[in-house]
Amino acid sequence: MSVLAVSSLAKRYHRGGKPFAAVDDVSFDIGPAETLALAGPSGSGKSTIARLVLRLIEPDTGRIDFEGADFLALSCAALRSCRARIQMVFQDPLAAFNPHATVGRVLDDPLRIHNIASRAERPRRIAALLERVGLDAGLAARAIHEISGGQRQRVAIARAIATHPSLIVLDEAVSALDVSVRGQILELLLDLQRQERIAYLFISHDLGVIRAVAHRIVILDSGRIAESGDARAVIANPQSAIGKALVAATPKLIRNRP
Amino acid sequence: MSRLCHFFRTPEAIAGASILALLVVVALAAPLLFSGDSQAIAGPALLPPFQDWSLPLGTDRLGRDVLAELFHGARTSLAVGLAAAAAALLIGSIIGTLAGFAGGLVDEVLMRITDAFQTVPSFLLALAFVSIVGPSLGVVVAAIALGAWTGPARVARAEVLSIRERDYVAGARVLGMHPLEIAFREVLPNVLPSVLALSSVIVAAAILTEAALSFLGLGDPNRVTWGGMIAEGRTVLRTAPFLSVVPGIALVLTVLGVYLAGEGVVESAAARRSLS
Amino acid sequence: MTALLSIRDLGVVYRRDGSEVPALKSVSLDVLAGERLAIIGESGSGKSTLALAVAGLLPTGALVDGTIEWSAGQLQKPRSVTPLSVLPYTAGRPEGGVKDRQPLHFRLIGGRDIGFVFQDPSSSLDPVMPIGKQIAEVARTHLHLTWREAFTRAKILLERVRLPDPDSALHAYPHQLSGGQKQRVAIAAAIAAEPMLLIADEATSALDTIVQAEIVALIRRLVAEDGMTLIFISHDIALAAALADRIAVLRHGELIELGETRQIVNAPRHAYTRALLDAHLGLDAEPLLDRQGASA
């Protein structure tokens, strides 16, 4: 059974008086411990889909089933408690946290809100979370703006896994990172997926990154699905015009390896 | 520490802070220096300043010590100014945050109430309020705050509208945080700096409003106020102008000090922002 | 090829809240006339500082050490008659202490011999001025044209950067354009005064892959057509390798390696360069998914 099933999702906005479809008749599903990538140029509706799936915005039409239940039917309190199971990591790890927060507070929030640990137990859980994402437990006392970008993204991942979700939406989660840090974060994500069987909705404009971590890919163009399928097969042999353009535009490093 | 260094870099800030510091010292020292009743008769009536060194600023129509009155008046001015401004900022930030964050009908209702308050001149509002409820320190504070909270509310709402679109607010929603907690724990603290930038204007306006109310005889009758002193002196303006001039100068200096210090705070904040 | 400009022992220190943050440490390199030089590095490597130092755009208060020397003899276009000064800011022996250093004074930019393209085109375009006027203003000021000539030139420039419908684009405002179109306009403004050197500082990082490829192709074409020298600042080694003749690798403010693109990509001398190359996730790389699966 799929973790997330999205069918006929649509969202329109008005731009300069004219309605335009940000997301138009999009359907896909994600299985447990699976990574589905959403790719496409900017304005293709990737981020809107992320926000729709998390119900940060409400779709005009369509259906979202999360863990077998109608996700759009959930009302305020039920939705808030369900949020423990579906989490998100943002592109800019600095913007994703309250500028006044400390690492400890950021990780304390999910544990407190979803009653995962008692107040006395929380510091130990926070330390364990930090260690789980490869950070020093002593980092908890530091302010968010004091740590490096890579560390921040690890904290964001720690916050996302604190509530044991079955799905994490990664919205360009590695795009702002240095390449050396990016590799480590991707490996951490894959490791977490294997250990905890988390499914990822992996949004990226970078086909190289998608090919490295995703099982399946959905390529979007102007809010519609242009093509979808096995990530490596689609990237090796794209059928749609936008798929071909994306592959052609990806910088290629031609090395004569010894 | 570096915050203080930045603050004291501009001459305005130094001047403003010195005036305010002097005022605070005066207000705190008043009961120690003039321990008795400041409204008691201390000497002959209408003694001009600098005649008798035990009464350096002379006496008023009833023979009360003007210096003692001035010191005690500083207490009232500062207390009312700060309390009214604090109340206005608090009410304004809460209303503005709620309106901006909730949006929709709540926003509509709260902002129309704000409009209603803004259309009535704030001094008239204070005047009416004090006339109905009766003059006492608390009522004067409430009356002034009633007319001053709309500015902070508008600023807070505008700021919230931009902050609520930021990723970290979306992040808090994704975590399942309660909307009220998001509004008051995540959003409000980040709104405060812009609202607090208004504080100098509001404090200064509150001090002036208090003085005007007292001038019209609507201040707390059991307290000496600068506005009341000016009103008292008005009847003998030709023969003893110093009775109006001395509290007038005190008022001008205080308001000037508040403005300059406020300017210094804003500039030091801007300087720090441009550095980072 | 001969050097257009020689950077010798360039050091830059930023002052922040009383403490000093070194951004560049004794960097020496020559930019050859007519070459495409890529400067790559991760965040905090000092690559943008180097670009700003060459353009004379460092913030006031930055402490600068060393020399940036322009070889006046190498000017293909003796249009700017003002002697392209040898910039004299030596000083600062290391033991001399920071206080002896002079801030960088750079008058060269007045001659408009450098075009600069920033990462965020919105920040370099005036939001309330039509883009045609913005480009024309650059041309008018630096090439001493009349407004009419400058507007004609602006239109040609918009055609050259392949902006759709240049006639109406002249009167458009920045907010009416997409990110890629704004960057094209910023490039048009940067080359409006016929600079010898074009500096693109992460000019494509904020754009999506497809638009990035278009902008890179545009820069390559413009540089070739006008015989400009290009300094291309990027964090992406694959992008740099596709465009540049030579690549300089910076790390923590130091120049780690400098060489022909072919040599840097195929036979890097420095372990850090190799690590950067290995971290690149190309469409031919072995997916991490498999690597992990195999090791698990």
Side-chain angles (χ1 to χ4, degrees):
Chain A
M1 193 193 67
S2 58
V3 175
L4 181 81
V6 168
S7 53
S8 313
L9 206 60
K11 179 75 181 173
R12 277 170 195 286
Y13 287 112
H14 287 265
R15 186 192 278 165
K18 279 180 290 182
F20 98 104
V23 175
D24 189 8
D25 193 24
V26 165
S27 306
F28 58 83
D29 60 83
I30 308 176
E34 189 189 28
T35 301
L36 176 74
L38 291 184
S42 50
S44 60
K46 306 188 293 278
S47 286
T48 310
I49 291 176
R51 272 152 216 272
L52 286 171
V53 162
L54 287 153
R55 282 193 68 186
L56 289 171
I57 49 178
E58 299 292 326
D60 296 337
T61 55
R63 190 179 162 86
I64 300 173
D65 284 290
F66 179 63
E67 293 186 323
D70 185 353
F71 193 59
L72 293 173
L74 296 175
S75 63
C76 311
L79 175 63
R80 282 205 299 280
S81 76
C82 190
R83 288 196 184 283
R85 305 284 298 154
I86 174 166
Q87 281 295 311
M88 178 167 187
V89 175
F90 294 85
Q91 169 170 11
D92 178 359
L94 190 56
F97 299 114
N98 187 327
H100 300 300
T102 61
V103 172
R105 207 199 103 183
V106 159
L107 296 179
D108 187 76
D109 282 340
L111 301 176
R112 174 178 54 83
I113 292 165
H114 294 287
N115 287 317
I116 287 169
S118 67
R119 178 183 287 268
E121 206 193 330
R122 275 185 240 143
R124 230 184 49 241
R125 294 291 284 269
I126 292 170
L129 278 171
L130 285 172
E131 275 161 20
R132 182 69 192 84
V133 296
L135 292 174
D136 185 72
L139 218 62
R142 301 272 292 277
I144 280 292
H145 63 82
E146 289 175 341
I147 61 178
S148 73
Q151 287 175 322
R152 256 181 236 133
Q153 205 56 308
R154 283 177 193 267
V155 172
I157 293 169
R159 177 168 77 167
I161 61 169
T163 54
H164 303 291
S166 60
L167 173 69
I168 299 180
V169 176
L170 302 158
D171 188 1
E172 300 276 7
V174 296
S175 308
L177 302 176
D178 281 330
V179 282
S180 54
V181 181
R182 183 179 72 184
Q184 297 162 11
I185 297 286
L186 289 175
E187 281 184 17
L188 169 66
L189 288 171
L190 289 177
D191 183 44
L192 287 169
Q193 180 168 63
R194 271 209 326 275
Q195 307 267 326
E196 328 231 339
R197 297 194 52 74
I198 305 172
Y200 293 132
L201 180 58
F202 191 98
I203 293 167
S204 178
H205 66 274
D206 186 336
L207 289 187
V209 172
I210 288 175
R211 194 175 166 281
V213 297
H215 301 95
R216 288 190 297 134
I217 188 172
V218 167
I219 297 180
L220 294 159
D221 188 17
S222 316
R224 296 185 75 95
I225 293 182
E227 73 181 298
S228 62
D230 176 81
R232 259 172 270 174
V234 167
I235 291 169
N237 189 16
Q239 298 302 311
S240 63
I242 195 75
K244 286 176 184 157
L246 279 172
V247 170
T250 303
K252 288 158 194 76
L253 193 61
I254 297 143
R255 296 168 74 180
N256 308 326
R257 287 203 184 74
Chain B
M1 203 50 227
S2 69
R3 217 171 262 232
L4 272 181
C5 289
H6 277 299
F7 178 72
F8 284 114
R9 203 161 284 173
T10 58
E12 299 99 308
I14 295 170
S18 320
I19 295 173
L20 286 187
L22 184 72
L23 204 69
V24 169
V25 169
V26 161
L28 290 177
L32 304 172
L33 291 175
F34 307 96
S35 49
D37 183 358
S38 62
Q39 311 216 36
I41 290 164
L46 291 175
L47 181 73
F50 314 122
Q51 304 284 317
D52 179 347
W53 288 111
S54 69
L55 300 165
L57 288 181
T59 58
D60 67 2
R61 282 196 303 153
L62 300 174
R64 292 178 297 204
D65 181 353
V66 171
L67 187 66
E69 284 191 292
L70 199 67
F71 271 48
H72 281 275
R75 282 172 85 77
T76 317
S77 276
L78 269 192
V80 172
L82 292 178
L89 290 171
L90 187 74
I91 300 169
S93 324
I94 290 174
I95 301 234
T97 304
L98 280 178
F101 193 72
L105 191 66
V106 178
D107 183 23
E108 203 57 32
V109 168
L110 287 175
M111 289 329 283
R112 289 305 79 79
I113 295 175
T114 312
D115 287 345
F117 271 91
Q118 261 186 328
T119 49
V120 183
S122 59
F123 184 65
L124 227 60
L125 202 67
L127 210 62
F129 190 75
V130 178
S131 320
I132 294 166
V133 184
S136 77
L137 201 64
V139 172
V140 170
V141 168
I144 295 171
L146 213 56
W149 64 271
T150 51
R154 287 199 177 279
V155 170
R157 176 174 174 273
E159 196 74 359
V160 168
L161 286 183
S162 97
I163 286 179
R164 76 168 185 185
E165 299 304 322
R166 305 230 177 119
D167 276 356
Y168 75 87
V169 175
R173 285 177 68 195
V174 167
L175 276 188
M177 200 180 273
H178 194 279
L180 280 179
E181 190 186 347
I182 298 178
F184 289 109
R185 194 153 154 259
E186 304 285 322
V187 176
L188 185 60
N190 295 301
V191 167
L192 281 182
S194 359
V195 176
L196 286 179
L198 290 176
S199 57
S200 67
V201 180
I202 293 179
V203 170
I207 290 173
L208 286 174
T209 309
E210 188 276 334
L213 284 174
S214 305
F215 181 80
L216 295 176
L218 288 171
D220 188 334
N222 302 314
R223 282 176 169 267
V224 187
T225 63
W226 290 343
M229 287 170 73
I230 297 173
E232 280 276 305
R234 190 178 42 142
T235 50
V236 288
L237 197 59
R238 279 162 190 266
T239 49
F242 69 95
L243 284 180
S244 299
V245 169
V246 166
I249 289 173
L251 205 55
V252 167
L253 276 180
T254 305
V255 171
L256 192 69
V258 170
Y259 272 130
L260 290 177
E263 192 72 5
V265 170
V266 170
E267 262 179 41
S268 74
R272 251 181 313 127
R273 223 171 302 138
S274 73
L275 270 182
S276 60
Chain C
M1 276 198 275
T2 42
L4 173 72
L5 97 147
S6 304
I7 299 166
R8 289 288 172 270
D9 299 320
L10 184 68
V12 176
V13 175
Y14 292 122
R15 275 177 297 192
R16 206 166 283 156
D17 281 338
S19 62
E20 302 198 331
V21 188
L24 275 185
K25 297 170 199 158
S26 189
V27 169
S28 298
L29 74 101
D30 287 344
V31 181
L32 307 180
E35 77 165 335
R36 295 186 301 250
L37 172 69
I39 296 171
I40 62 165
E42 298 189 299
S43 53
S45 63
K47 55 189 191 297
S48 283
T49 302
L50 181 56
L52 293 174
V54 168
L57 295 172
L58 283 174
T60 51
L63 300 166
V64 182
D65 211 9
T67 58
I68 300 174
E69 202 168 301
W70 288 74
S71 324
Q74 295 310 318
L75 301 178
Q76 301 113 318
K77 301 175 190 167
R79 179 174 38 76
S80 309
V81 191
T82 35
L84 289 178
S85 48
V86 172
L87 292 164
Y89 28 82
T90 48
R93 302 276 85 77
E95 64 273 19
V98 189
K99 287 196 179 69
D100 296 342
R101 295 180 202 162
Q102 294 292 311
L104 177 61
H105 290 296
F106 203 100
R107 289 186 197 83
L108 191 71
I109 197 78
R112 202 63 199 180
D113 287 294
I114 299 173
F116 205 106
V117 185
F118 293 91
Q119 174 173 356
D120 178 10
S122 313
S123 66
S124 50
L125 295 176
D126 184 340
V128 294
M129 194 192 277
I131 56 172
K133 193 172 176 201
Q134 298 192 39
I135 299 169
E137 198 169 43
V138 177
R140 199 182 69 95
T141 316
H142 297 288
L143 302 179
H144 309 291
L145 305 177
T146 64
W147 272 114
R148 180 187 288 275
E149 290 166 340
F151 268 106
T152 313
R153 186 162 166 74
K155 195 185 150 201
I156 295 171
L157 283 163
L158 288 180
E159 277 162 8
R160 286 193 65 199
V161 298
R162 302 270 159 87
L163 208 65
D165 196 4
D167 279 310
S168 58
L170 277 175
H171 306 289
Y173 289 89
H175 73 266
Q176 293 168 310
L177 305 177
S178 71
Q181 289 172 336
K182 268 187 263 189
Q183 199 58 291
R184 285 174 192 269
V185 172
I187 291 171
I191 62 168
E194 301 173 353
M196 286 180 304
L197 174 64
L198 183 66
I199 301 177
D201 184 4
E202 295 276 14
T204 64
S205 307
L207 307 170
D208 74 38
T209 318
I210 294 176
V211 182
Q212 165 173 286
E214 291 167 5
I215 297 290
V216 167
L218 173 68
I219 290 175
R220 178 198 287 276
R221 183 167 57 78
L222 292 174
V223 165
E225 286 173 2
D226 289 6
M228 282 184 286
T229 306
L230 174 70
I231 297 182
F232 186 80
I233 315 276
S234 178
H235 66 278
D236 187 335
I237 197 166
L239 195 62
L243 180 62
D245 303 316
R246 291 199 304 156
I247 295 179
V249 184
L250 288 185
R251 184 197 195 186
H252 303 325
E254 286 173 78
L255 181 65
I256 294 280
E257 187 165 358
L258 171 66
E260 300 281 325
T261 300
R262 187 194 299 261
Q263 176 255 308
I264 293 281
V265 170
N266 291 316
R269 292 195 193 92
H270 201 282
Y272 177 70
T273 313
R274 206 168 304 126
L276 278 183
L277 287 163
D278 291 342
H280 174 72
L281 293 171
L283 298 186
D284 55 346
E286 182 193 6
L288 290 170
L289 217 48
D290 295 355
R291 253 188 261 173
Q292 290 241 332
S295 67

